[in-house]
mmCIF file of all heavy atoms in Angstrom:
data_model
loop_
_atom_site.group_PDB
_atom_site.id
_atom_site.type_symbol
_atom_site.label_atom_id
_atom_site.label_comp_id
_atom_site.label_asym_id
_atom_site.label_seq_id
_atom_site.Cartn_x
_atom_site.Cartn_y
_atom_site.Cartn_z
ATOM 1 N N GLY A 463 -8.584 7.106 -0.659
ATOM 2 C CA GLY A 463 -9.244 8.312 -1.141
ATOM 3 C C GLY A 463 -10.207 8.005 -2.266
ATOM 4 O O GLY A 463 -9.922 8.174 -3.438
ATOM 5 N N THR A 464 -11.403 7.546 -1.881
ATOM 6 C CA THR A 464 -12.404 7.192 -2.903
ATOM 7 C C THR A 464 -13.420 8.347 -3.060
ATOM 8 O O THR A 464 -13.417 9.285 -2.265
ATOM 9 C CB THR A 464 -13.168 5.926 -2.475
ATOM 10 O OG1 THR A 464 -13.688 6.148 -1.176
ATOM 11 C CG2 THR A 464 -12.252 4.713 -2.450
ATOM 12 N N GLY A 465 -14.249 8.207 -4.073
ATOM 13 C CA GLY A 465 -15.314 9.227 -4.287
ATOM 14 C C GLY A 465 -14.741 10.624 -4.416
ATOM 15 O O GLY A 465 -13.717 10.824 -5.087
ATOM 16 N N PHE A 466 -15.394 11.582 -3.763
ATOM 17 C CA PHE A 466 -14.915 12.967 -3.900
ATOM 18 C C PHE A 466 -13.556 13.204 -3.278
ATOM 19 O O PHE A 466 -12.944 14.226 -3.530
ATOM 20 C CB PHE A 466 -15.959 13.992 -3.377
ATOM 21 C CG PHE A 466 -16.672 13.549 -2.127
ATOM 22 C CD1 PHE A 466 -16.015 13.473 -0.933
ATOM 23 C CD2 PHE A 466 -18.009 13.207 -2.177
ATOM 24 C CE1 PHE A 466 -16.649 13.092 0.222
ATOM 25 C CE2 PHE A 466 -18.687 12.807 -1.029
ATOM 26 C CZ PHE A 466 -18.000 12.743 0.177
ATOM 27 N N TRP A 467 -13.055 12.248 -2.470
ATOM 28 C CA TRP A 467 -11.705 12.431 -1.904
ATOM 29 C C TRP A 467 -10.611 12.072 -2.926
ATOM 30 O O TRP A 467 -9.437 12.320 -2.684
ATOM 31 C CB TRP A 467 -11.549 11.598 -0.645
ATOM 32 C CG TRP A 467 -12.357 12.136 0.512
ATOM 33 C CD1 TRP A 467 -13.498 11.603 0.997
ATOM 34 C CD2 TRP A 467 -12.058 13.304 1.283
ATOM 35 N NE1 TRP A 467 -13.959 12.391 2.050
ATOM 36 C CE2 TRP A 467 -13.111 13.417 2.251
ATOM 37 C CE3 TRP A 467 -11.047 14.274 1.267
ATOM 38 C CZ2 TRP A 467 -13.143 14.456 3.172
ATOM 39 C CZ3 TRP A 467 -11.097 15.316 2.185
ATOM 40 C CH2 TRP A 467 -12.133 15.384 3.123
ATOM 41 N N ALA A 468 -11.017 11.458 -4.056
ATOM 42 C CA ALA A 468 -10.010 11.022 -5.026
ATOM 43 C C ALA A 468 -9.236 12.214 -5.618
ATOM 44 O O ALA A 468 -8.085 12.052 -6.075
ATOM 45 C CB ALA A 468 -10.678 10.236 -6.153
ATOM 46 N N LYS A 469 -9.839 13.386 -5.596
ATOM 47 C CA LYS A 469 -9.198 14.508 -6.291
ATOM 48 C C LYS A 469 -7.974 15.068 -5.562
ATOM 49 O O LYS A 469 -7.136 15.707 -6.179
ATOM 50 C CB LYS A 469 -10.179 15.602 -6.622
ATOM 51 C CG LYS A 469 -10.886 16.273 -5.477
ATOM 52 C CD LYS A 469 -11.801 17.384 -6.052
ATOM 53 C CE LYS A 469 -12.659 18.062 -5.037
ATOM 54 N NZ LYS A 469 -13.969 17.379 -4.852
ATOM 55 N N TYR A 470 -7.860 14.844 -4.248
ATOM 56 C CA TYR A 470 -6.780 15.521 -3.496
ATOM 57 C C TYR A 470 -5.382 14.996 -3.831
ATOM 58 O O TYR A 470 -4.524 15.802 -4.190
ATOM 59 C CB TYR A 470 -7.124 15.578 -1.999
ATOM 60 C CG TYR A 470 -8.347 16.436 -1.874
ATOM 61 C CD1 TYR A 470 -9.629 15.889 -1.837
ATOM 62 C CD2 TYR A 470 -8.234 17.824 -1.970
ATOM 63 C CE1 TYR A 470 -10.757 16.673 -1.857
ATOM 64 C CE2 TYR A 470 -9.364 18.625 -1.977
ATOM 65 C CZ TYR A 470 -10.610 18.038 -1.906
ATOM 66 O OH TYR A 470 -11.722 18.831 -1.966
ATOM 67 N N PRO A 471 -5.131 13.685 -3.746
ATOM 68 C CA PRO A 471 -3.806 13.232 -4.202
ATOM 69 C C PRO A 471 -3.580 13.539 -5.678
ATOM 70 O O PRO A 471 -2.448 13.817 -6.102
ATOM 71 C CB PRO A 471 -3.815 11.722 -3.966
ATOM 72 C CG PRO A 471 -5.243 11.331 -3.736
ATOM 73 C CD PRO A 471 -5.949 12.569 -3.251
ATOM 74 N N LEU A 472 -4.639 13.529 -6.444
ATOM 75 C CA LEU A 472 -4.541 13.802 -7.893
ATOM 76 C C LEU A 472 -4.138 15.253 -8.160
ATOM 77 O O LEU A 472 -3.281 15.514 -8.996
ATOM 78 C CB LEU A 472 -5.886 13.456 -8.530
ATOM 79 C CG LEU A 472 -6.065 13.796 -10.010
ATOM 80 C CD1 LEU A 472 -5.035 13.085 -10.861
ATOM 81 C CD2 LEU A 472 -7.482 13.406 -10.451
ATOM 82 N N LEU A 473 -4.758 16.172 -7.462
ATOM 83 C CA LEU A 473 -4.426 17.582 -7.678
ATOM 84 C C LEU A 473 -2.971 17.854 -7.323
ATOM 85 O O LEU A 473 -2.256 18.577 -8.002
ATOM 86 C CB LEU A 473 -5.352 18.476 -6.848
ATOM 87 C CG LEU A 473 -6.789 18.568 -7.338
ATOM 88 C CD1 LEU A 473 -7.672 19.330 -6.377
ATOM 89 C CD2 LEU A 473 -6.835 19.202 -8.728
ATOM 90 N N ARG A 474 -2.545 17.241 -6.230
ATOM 91 C CA ARG A 474 -1.159 17.388 -5.816
ATOM 92 C C ARG A 474 -0.215 16.825 -6.885
ATOM 93 O O ARG A 474 0.747 17.498 -7.306
ATOM 94 C CB ARG A 474 -0.990 16.649 -4.504
ATOM 95 C CG ARG A 474 0.389 16.657 -3.936
ATOM 96 C CD ARG A 474 0.356 15.921 -2.618
ATOM 97 N NE ARG A 474 1.311 14.847 -2.627
ATOM 98 C CZ ARG A 474 2.245 14.729 -1.689
ATOM 99 N NH1 ARG A 474 2.305 15.569 -0.685
ATOM 100 N NH2 ARG A 474 3.095 13.730 -1.750
ATOM 101 N N ALA A 475 -0.508 15.631 -7.384
ATOM 102 C CA ALA A 475 0.346 15.035 -8.414
ATOM 103 C C ALA A 475 0.333 15.858 -9.698
ATOM 104 O O ALA A 475 1.363 16.020 -10.354
ATOM 105 C CB ALA A 475 -0.116 13.597 -8.681
ATOM 106 N N ALA A 476 -0.848 16.400 -10.015
ATOM 107 C CA ALA A 476 -0.945 17.208 -11.268
ATOM 108 C C ALA A 476 -0.099 18.482 -11.152
ATOM 109 O O ALA A 476 0.519 18.894 -12.127
ATOM 110 C CB ALA A 476 -2.414 17.558 -11.516
ATOM 111 N N MET A 477 -0.037 19.069 -9.973
ATOM 112 C CA MET A 477 0.787 20.266 -9.785
ATOM 113 C C MET A 477 2.262 19.944 -10.029
ATOM 114 O O MET A 477 2.961 20.680 -10.717
ATOM 115 C CB MET A 477 0.618 20.819 -8.357
ATOM 116 C CG MET A 477 -0.672 21.575 -8.205
ATOM 117 S SD MET A 477 -0.778 22.328 -6.590
ATOM 118 C CE MET A 477 -2.524 22.718 -6.615
ATOM 119 N N LEU A 478 2.691 18.821 -9.479
ATOM 120 C CA LEU A 478 4.096 18.468 -9.587
ATOM 121 C C LEU A 478 4.426 18.002 -11.003
ATOM 122 O O LEU A 478 5.523 18.255 -11.511
ATOM 123 C CB LEU A 478 4.461 17.374 -8.575
ATOM 124 C CG LEU A 478 4.173 17.731 -7.106
ATOM 125 C CD1 LEU A 478 4.616 16.596 -6.194
ATOM 126 C CD2 LEU A 478 4.805 19.042 -6.663
ATOM 127 N N ALA A 479 3.472 17.336 -11.642
ATOM 128 C CA ALA A 479 3.717 16.823 -13.009
ATOM 129 C C ALA A 479 3.632 17.935 -14.051
ATOM 130 O O ALA A 479 4.182 17.825 -15.142
ATOM 131 C CB ALA A 479 2.700 15.734 -13.353
ATOM 132 N N HIS A 480 2.961 19.040 -13.712
ATOM 133 C CA HIS A 480 2.764 20.126 -14.665
ATOM 134 C C HIS A 480 3.184 21.489 -14.096
ATOM 135 O O HIS A 480 2.363 22.391 -13.910
ATOM 136 C CB HIS A 480 1.304 20.183 -15.130
ATOM 137 C CG HIS A 480 0.983 19.073 -16.084
ATOM 138 N ND1 HIS A 480 1.199 19.147 -17.427
ATOM 139 C CD2 HIS A 480 0.538 17.826 -15.849
ATOM 140 C CE1 HIS A 480 0.872 17.993 -17.991
ATOM 141 N NE2 HIS A 480 0.462 17.178 -17.049
ATOM 142 N N PRO A 481 4.496 21.615 -13.858
ATOM 143 C CA PRO A 481 4.967 22.911 -13.329
ATOM 144 C C PRO A 481 4.704 24.055 -14.308
ATOM 145 O O PRO A 481 4.650 25.213 -13.893
ATOM 146 C CB PRO A 481 6.484 22.704 -13.117
ATOM 147 C CG PRO A 481 6.822 21.448 -13.816
ATOM 148 C CD PRO A 481 5.599 20.641 -13.990
ATOM 149 N N GLU A 482 4.468 23.726 -15.568
ATOM 150 C CA GLU A 482 4.197 24.803 -16.556
ATOM 151 C C GLU A 482 2.793 25.387 -16.365
ATOM 152 O O GLU A 482 2.501 26.466 -16.845
ATOM 153 C CB GLU A 482 4.378 24.278 -17.993
ATOM 154 C CG GLU A 482 3.241 23.476 -18.574
ATOM 155 C CD GLU A 482 3.122 22.045 -18.051
ATOM 156 O OE1 GLU A 482 3.906 21.657 -17.151
ATOM 157 O OE2 GLU A 482 2.212 21.315 -18.512
ATOM 158 N N SER A 483 1.906 24.641 -15.657
ATOM 159 C CA SER A 483 0.539 25.161 -15.463
ATOM 160 C C SER A 483 0.462 25.996 -14.198
ATOM 161 O O SER A 483 0.820 25.547 -13.128
ATOM 162 C CB SER A 483 -0.443 23.992 -15.338
ATOM 163 O OG SER A 483 -0.508 23.297 -16.546
#
Side-chain angles (χ1 to χ4, degrees):
T464 54
F466 38 70
W467 290 105
K469 62 178 174 271
Y470 296 94
L472 173 59
L473 287 173
R474 177 178 125 126
M477 282 185 194
L478 304 182
H480 287 273
E482 81 285 3
S483 294

